[in-house]
Amino acid sequence: MIFKDIVNRDIVNLQNCEDEPIHIPGLIQPHGFLIAVDSTTHKITVCSENINQFLSISYEQVLGKKIEELFNEAFLIELNQYQSENTNQTKVFNFTIDKQLFSISMHASVGKEIIIEAELTENQFTNSNSLYNSSKQLLSYIEDSFTLKELTNAVAVAIKKITNYDRVMVYRFDADYNGEVIAESKEEHLESFLGLHYPHTDIPVQARELYIKNHLRIIGDVNYKPVPLYTYAESHLDTLDMSYSVLRSVSPIHIQYLHNMGVGGTLTISLLHKDKLWGLITCHHYSPKYLSQEIRNTVKLHGHFITSQIDVRLLNEEYEIARKTNQAVENLISKQLDFDRSSITQLFQDTSIIELCNSTGISALIGDEIYTYGNTPNHQDIKRLSIFLSHYTEENHFSTNALSRITKDLSFISDEFPGINYHFIGNDYDCIVWYRKQTITDIYWAGDPKKSIEKDKNGLSPRKSFEKFTESVKDSSKPWLKSELTASQNFFNFFQIHLRSILLNEEKENQKKLSEILKETNAELENINWISTHDLQEPLRKIRMMASMLVGDDIKELPKDVQLKIIKMQNSAERMQILISDILKYTKTTAQHSDLEIIDLNILLQEIKEEVSDSLEDNEGQLLISELPTIQGVGFLLKQLFTNIIYNSLKFKSEARKPIISIRENKTSKDKYQKSGNYYKIEIEDNGIGFDNEYSQKIFKIFSRLNDKNEYLGSGIGLALCKKIMTKHNGLIAAEGQPDKGTIIKIYFPKN
């Protein structure tokens, strides 16, 4: 049988380390051995070279054999049980092989391999750090710690006591995965790392991903010599995914980094919160150090306890802040305020308005008015900021403690007020903004973060200097806490309701004034109607009468130009009478309050057909009426409606064909009004000159005309009157035209 190793020999350096496939090194640490078993055939497909140092057998003798040939029935029961559970979890148990006690770790790899890892183990617990005592310690954390800082400090002390590492740190990531040591327990002679920051480059992306998958990582001796993994040619395996492996060999770059720190052995526990890497518990020893599986599990349990308490402890820390901010909100919303603009000024004179979210100032832009309290930008800059934020975010709320990182165009604001807490009121650029002034923060790094890679005579290497480096951050304010943002949101909700009440009150006053004006106007209109009916109609009748006398039998005796002027005068007077008559009808329809009655449209249209018969005959037209529904309406108004539409069709007939007008109920088409099932749809279709559909709305406007008034007589008020009539019937009217083909008027009557 031919054997081959599966060591990944890709050249890795600091220029490509972020692409290093650290999950498939093909190497393990030497303090244990590894075999991989095909989950289907139970054949051993991968074996570490060092198996002979733990068992009296070589990897050549192991590869290709079935696992049943190497391990006893008790071990196979454990394997079969793991497979039957069909879980992604790692199975850990102690097992004796050749009179040696091993800690066995068993998990499924990507593909169909089951990875089995074995480490010699012993009971490292003493009476002072027994598993029971360590577990009981977790319960005491709940009683003895209130904040997250207190909890992480207690856990660091407990883990150091359990493991006896020289240094134990709790390490927390920020949004960019720069880390900060927030808790530490160490030997007295060691320099403290508490409060130091580490750049995100110290832990590459793929390493962070592995920390999410594999929650515990131990390096017993940073000077270890990696052990290669072997397979046989027939297995067709080129790599083995070791993401969940406890023995997986570490990146040589990380080993060099640990050498530069002077560390001899490490243990790292992942702290996950909401499925993200929140931080790490990192244990350093300055000489080689190995831990039994039991102690590792205990340390992992402490890590899980921290992450389970993150939300609770953060809430505890914010509780006192939340209590004060809520009290400030309560002070404001409990005020007895009138519903007028002066109440806004009253709110913006109370110090609680900035205390509610611990800001240094606040501004509100409402229409053309700006209200401020505390330290804020000037009015012009407030307007510029409001316009920018309305375009920058589609959300109604936005907050940042570093405005300059969002835009450089507002440096005149962000230099002094980098902290912005913005709420959009909902009209143009109206908004409320709370402000925070710049705070100069000193961040202490473990070495200069800009020198995470150093160059020496051997080329590029991880940084060697971890000496404290101070960086001053000047472009930000104190971050907005969740409780502060919640308090500002609560006040904003109250303010929106109050502002709406003010606007409604103002609208109510405006309506009262408009109502008075409308009454006066209506009274004047009644006078105008009276004048129109009597004083204007009479002179027009006389003009028409005199004109008709002049164009009688003696017309031939008059000069031709005089004849034309008299005829024009007569036509103008006639058009004026029609216009006045239509205006009266229009205003009468607007003021009409007649009760609705049941109207059979079939009977109504037959009456109309008789009334328009002379006009139909003069125009050689046809009026076709199909079966129509019975509706509720006002009889004389409905007569006016259909008569106007019929006369319109005759007026705008085509010279190329005789007019045909059909009136029918359309039950088949399903437009947006019919889909509701609440309307009868009546269509009046003609074959006249039609119109372009872009004017389908314009034709219903009063005095609107699409054609030359000299060519087609009329006031342009007919269809506007029709629309008024349909509005009075709680119905709808629409038009659809095709030039030179005809028009369809669609009217919708509500069903009972």
Side-chain angles (χ1 to χ4, degrees):
M1 184 177 289
I2 299 173
F3 303 103
K4 62 177 181 178
D5 69 55
I6 55 173
V7 175
N8 185 350
R9 291 183 171 81
D10 290 345
I11 297 175
V12 180
N13 55 49
L14 285 168
Q15 292 175 322
N16 67 359
C17 64
E18 290 200 352
D19 299 320
E20 181 183 4
I22 57 176
H23 62 301
I24 53 169
L27 299 164
I28 64 169
Q29 297 178 56
H31 60 276
F33 69 87
L34 178 149
I35 60 174
V37 180
D38 186 301
S39 59
T40 305
T41 64
H42 276 194
K43 275 189 177 182
I44 299 173
T45 55
V46 177
C47 182
S48 61
E49 186 183 52
N50 66 341
I51 191 171
N52 61 341
Q53 296 177 19
F54 300 92
L55 306 179
S56 54
I57 193 169
S58 66
Y59 73 87
E60 294 95 342
Q61 294 171 300
V62 169
L63 287 170
K65 288 190 170 57
K66 288 202 170 188
I67 191 128
E68 291 88 341
E69 299 178 45
L70 297 178
F71 296 98
N72 60 26
E73 186 176 350
F75 189 91
L76 296 175
I77 290 173
E78 295 282 0
L79 175 61
N80 290 329
Q81 183 181 357
Y82 172 74
Q83 285 191 268
S84 65
E85 290 171 355
N86 193 26
T87 178
N88 291 327
Q89 300 297 318
T90 298
K91 181 181 179 68
V92 178
F93 58 94
N94 286 343
F95 198 83
T96 302
I97 307 173
D98 292 346
K99 298 182 181 181
Q100 297 182 94
L101 182 62
F102 287 90
S103 173
I104 307 295
S105 175
M106 189 180 293
H107 71 274
S109 178
V110 175
K112 58 181 182 176
E113 259 62 40
I114 297 174
I115 295 177
I116 300 170
E117 299 171 274
E119 302 171 71
L120 285 172
T121 189
E122 57 180 318
N123 183 9
Q124 294 180 339
F125 277 111
T126 64
N127 290 333
S128 63
N129 65 3
S130 68
L131 180 58
Y132 170 75
N133 288 334
S134 297
S135 299
K136 189 170 66 172
Q137 180 71 43
L138 294 175
L139 300 177
S140 70
Y141 295 153
I142 298 175
E143 298 177 359
D144 298 340
S145 63
F146 182 76
T147 65
L148 186 60
K149 182 177 178 61
E150 291 172 349
L151 175 64
T152 53
N153 278 333
V155 170
V157 170
I159 290 178
K160 185 177 186 317
K161 185 176 180 182
I162 295 167
T163 62
N164 289 318
Y165 272 96
D166 292 332
R167 187 195 303 272
V168 176
M169 298 174 288
V170 181
Y171 187 83
R172 178 179 180 175
F173 293 117
D174 65 13
D176 298 319
Y177 287 100
N178 300 307
E180 178 188 3
V181 179
I182 61 171
E184 180 185 55
S185 179
K186 65 179 184 63
E187 295 296 318
E188 289 185 5
H189 68 279
L190 294 175
E191 177 189 1
S192 176
F193 291 168
L194 185 63
L196 291 185
H197 290 68
Y198 292 77
H200 65 90
T201 51
D202 281 7
I203 305 176
V205 174
Q206 75 274 36
R208 295 196 294 266
E209 290 175 354
L210 282 185
Y211 278 128
I212 292 174
K213 293 180 179 179
N214 197 343
H215 300 170
L216 185 142
R217 193 83 182 96
I218 188 168
I219 304 174
D221 183 355
V222 299
N223 295 307
Y224 74 88
K225 182 180 178 182
V227 176
L229 300 180
Y230 281 85
T231 186
Y232 55 96
E234 291 84 353
S235 73
H236 304 297
L237 274 177
D238 295 317
T239 61
L240 182 67
D241 191 312
M242 301 171 67
S243 297
Y244 298 92
S245 170
V246 296
L247 292 174
R248 176 174 51 83
S249 187
V250 183
S251 165
I253 294 175
H254 182 59
I255 292 295
Q256 189 176 352
Y257 178 88
L258 295 175
H259 279 149
N260 293 346
M261 291 188 74
V263 175
T266 67
L267 174 70
T268 307
I269 300 95
S270 305
L271 300 177
L272 303 181
H273 181 237
K274 296 180 180 178
D275 299 323
K276 291 184 178 180
L277 190 62
W278 181 88
L280 300 170
I281 298 175
T282 303
C283 306
H284 286 179
H285 208 64
Y286 293 91
S287 60
K289 185 171 183 64
Y290 298 91
L291 293 181
S292 68
Q293 190 67 53
E294 288 81 0
I295 292 184
R296 290 186 221 168
N297 289 338
T298 304
V299 172
K300 190 189 294 186
L301 185 62
H302 281 65
H304 289 329
F305 183 79
I306 287 179
T307 55
S308 71
Q309 294 289 301
I310 288 173
D311 286 332
V312 176
R313 305 300 161 142
L314 289 177
L315 286 174
N316 285 345
E317 291 176 12
E318 288 195 24
Y319 173 77
E320 186 59 24
I321 297 173
R323 186 188 66 77
K324 291 179 179 178
T325 56
N326 288 336
Q327 183 60 53
V329 174
E330 186 62 31
N331 291 342
L332 292 168
I333 66 177
S334 62
K335 285 179 177 292
Q336 298 297 318
L337 300 171
D338 296 327
F339 294 136
D340 56 38
R341 299 278 173 153
S342 65
S343 63
I344 301 177
T345 304
Q346 188 179 344
L347 283 171
F348 276 75
Q349 290 174 345
D350 193 321
T351 185
S352 295
I353 204 165
I354 59 174
E355 290 175 349
L356 66 86
C357 63
N358 297 311
S359 67
T360 56
I362 182 175
S363 69
L365 174 62
I366 303 170
D368 294 327
E369 292 292 322
I370 293 179
Y371 304 84
T372 62
Y373 183 84
N375 294 312
T376 67
N378 62 48
H379 283 203
Q380 184 180 356
D381 288 346
I382 288 171
K383 286 185 178 180
R384 291 176 67 179
L385 177 65
S386 302
I387 293 169
F388 168 79
L389 290 173
S390 71
H391 293 299
Y392 175 76
T393 176
E394 295 180 357
E395 303 296 326
N396 291 331
H397 169 248
F398 169 76
S399 64
T400 179
N401 71 321
L403 182 60
S404 63
R405 298 176 195 173
I406 295 168
T407 176
K408 300 298 183 185
D409 296 336
L410 297 174
S411 58
F412 49 89
I413 295 176
S414 60
D415 285 350
E416 186 176 1
F417 300 102
I420 298 296
N421 179 11
Y422 163 83
H423 290 264
F424 176 61
I425 292 178
N427 184 29
D428 294 330
Y429 305 120
D430 292 1
C431 62
I432 293 180
V433 181
W434 281 270
Y435 303 90
R436 273 188 178 162
K437 286 200 166 189
Q438 183 185 94
T439 57
I440 299 176
T441 304
D442 287 337
I443 298 178
Y444 301 103
W445 295 91
D448 187 346
K450 296 177 182 177
K451 298 180 179 179
S452 58
I453 299 174
E454 295 184 358
K455 187 173 183 179
D456 55 23
K457 62 181 181 179
N458 297 318
L460 297 175
S461 69
R463 59 197 175 98
K464 299 180 177 67
S465 173
F466 295 89
E467 184 178 348
K468 184 184 288 187
F469 176 86
T470 304
E471 179 186 21
S472 292
V473 179
K474 300 180 180 180
D475 64 347
S476 62
S477 72
K478 186 179 175 184
W480 301 97
L481 297 178
K482 184 178 179 182
S483 57
E484 295 166 339
L485 295 176
T486 300
S488 64
Q489 182 67 55
N490 290 340
F491 171 75
F492 175 74
N493 293 339
F494 155 76
F495 185 79
Q496 265 197 315
I497 295 169
H498 182 69
L499 181 60
R500 198 173 294 125
S501 300
I502 292 173
L503 296 175
L504 286 172
N505 196 45
E506 291 177 346
E507 183 65 24
K508 185 178 177 182
E509 290 299 316
N510 288 336
Q511 289 295 332
K512 284 175 67 176
K513 292 177 182 177
L514 288 172
S515 181
E516 292 299 320
I517 295 171
L518 190 59
K519 284 181 182 178
E520 295 175 7
T521 304
N522 285 338
E524 292 177 5
L525 282 174
E526 287 180 10
N527 292 333
I528 292 171
N529 286 345
W530 178 262
I531 293 169
S532 300
T533 304
H534 296 84
D535 297 353
L536 292 180
Q537 292 277 23
E538 185 60 28
L540 287 171
R541 277 195 296 271
K542 287 181 178 180
I543 292 170
R544 291 185 64 192
M545 183 181 69
M546 297 301 293
S548 64
M549 290 173 63
L550 290 172
V551 296
D553 295 335
D554 298 331
I555 190 169
K556 294 179 181 178
E557 299 177 8
L558 297 173
K560 196 166 186 179
D561 61 331
V562 174
Q563 294 178 32
L564 291 173
K565 288 177 181 177
I566 292 172
I567 291 170
K568 284 183 179 180
M569 178 179 69
Q570 187 178 32
N571 290 341
S572 296
E574 184 179 356
R575 282 201 301 271
M576 179 65 79
Q577 275 193 308
I578 292 170
L579 176 61
I580 292 170
S581 176
D582 283 347
I583 290 173
L584 289 173
K585 289 176 187 177
Y586 187 83
T587 55
K588 185 178 179 182
T589 303
T590 303
Q592 187 59 250
H593 295 286
S594 304
D595 292 331
L596 299 179
E597 56 186 354
I598 295 174
I599 304 290
D600 186 336
L601 291 180
N602 297 290
I603 297 173
L604 183 77
L605 264 297
Q606 286 304 321
E607 294 174 359
I608 292 172
K609 188 173 184 179
E610 290 178 12
E611 293 175 5
V612 301
S613 60
D614 289 342
S615 295
L616 286 169
E617 187 175 336
D618 291 344
N619 289 280
E620 300 183 46
Q622 295 183 63
L623 177 61
L624 308 176
I625 303 171
S626 301
E627 187 69 24
L628 298 171
T630 298
I631 64 169
Q632 286 193 335
V634 180
F636 83 91
L637 290 178
L638 292 177
K639 265 194 175 183
Q640 189 73 49
L641 170 74
F642 284 102
T643 301
N644 275 358
I645 296 173
I646 291 168
Y647 278 139
N648 247 27
S649 294
L650 293 173
K651 182 191 300 184
F652 298 108
K653 67 181 181 180
S654 171
E655 296 298 329
R657 50 190 173 269
K658 294 178 180 179
I660 299 175
I661 306 165
S662 65
I663 303 176
R664 60 184 179 268
E665 180 186 5
N666 190 331
K667 298 179 179 179
T668 57
S669 71
K670 294 295 181 183
D671 57 28
K672 62 181 179 180
Y673 302 117
Q674 276 187 295
K675 280 183 180 178
S676 67
N678 298 324
Y679 291 94
Y680 297 109
K681 180 180 180 181
I682 310 299
E683 292 181 343
I684 301 100
E685 183 176 6
D686 65 46
N687 62 346
I689 62 173
F691 65 92
D692 195 315
N693 269 327
E694 68 175 287
Y695 303 111
S696 60
Q697 299 298 321
K698 182 181 178 182
I699 63 174
F700 292 107
K701 293 182 179 179
I702 189 167
F703 302 129
S704 177
R705 303 172 62 94
L706 304 185
N707 308 97
D708 186 349
K709 66 180 180 180
N710 294 318
E711 186 178 354
Y712 296 96
L713 294 177
S715 61
I717 205 170
L719 287 179
L721 178 61
C722 292
K723 186 173 183 179
K724 276 288 185 190
I725 293 171
M726 289 308 298
T727 301
K728 288 201 67 62
H729 286 79
N730 297 316
L732 304 158
I733 186 167
E736 182 182 305
Q738 283 186 289
D740 300 323
K741 290 189 177 180
T743 299
I744 300 176
I745 303 294
K746 305 172 185 178
I747 51 179
Y748 299 82
F749 290 103
K751 294 182 178 180
N752 297 337

